[in-house]
Amino acid sequence: MKPKSTLELNRYLPALINFFSNKMSNASSQLYAHLFNMGATDWRVISLLAVESNIPASRICQVIGLDKSAVSRSLSKLNRDGFIEIEVDKKDTRARKNALTEAGIRLHDEMYIVALEREQEILNVLSVEDQEHLIRIMNALNTEITDINDFFTEKYITK
């Protein structure tokens, strides 16, 4: 017996994004582990803290889209290794704010060079115009994905 229909994996957007993301993450984890003793999740946390300092783990999860346990493990490792400092929020003593230390900033600056070089190699297969279209499309999809996820959660899970 065969299914009535099957996905065209070379046209099914969630699969294409997932396949690409997995390949990117696996390779970057190996590269960052070798060069910096860091993983891809650590790089994501470090790069966000370079953009937004003194933020709670919940904000990191919201922006990056990772689950709390992965972010928590990364924050613990980065704090233990002296790359971030975790401080109690003066306005809410239950909350913790995370920020890069001077060592964390230096690490960011080294990883940043490799990350941008790698991104450029990936983008080189596209014309400059296609690169701009891809960035615009990905930003549009990222802007809407939370509402789409909420819609389907409401439709299929919380009924």
Side-chain angles (χ1 to χ4, degrees), residues 13 17 133-144:
L13 186 61
I17 291 171
H133 287 307
L134 176 62
I135 291 167
R136 183 183 50 75
I137 290 165
M138 292 307 300
N139 279 314
L141 293 173
N142 270 309
T143 299
E144 298 301 321

Side-chain angles (χ1 to χ4, degrees), residues 24 114-124 131 135:
M24 285 269 307
V114 175
L116 283 188
E117 180 183 0
R118 190 162 180 266
E119 177 199 35
Q120 192 54 59
E121 273 307 306
I122 292 164
L123 290 175
N124 279 342
Q131 290 176 30
I135 291 167

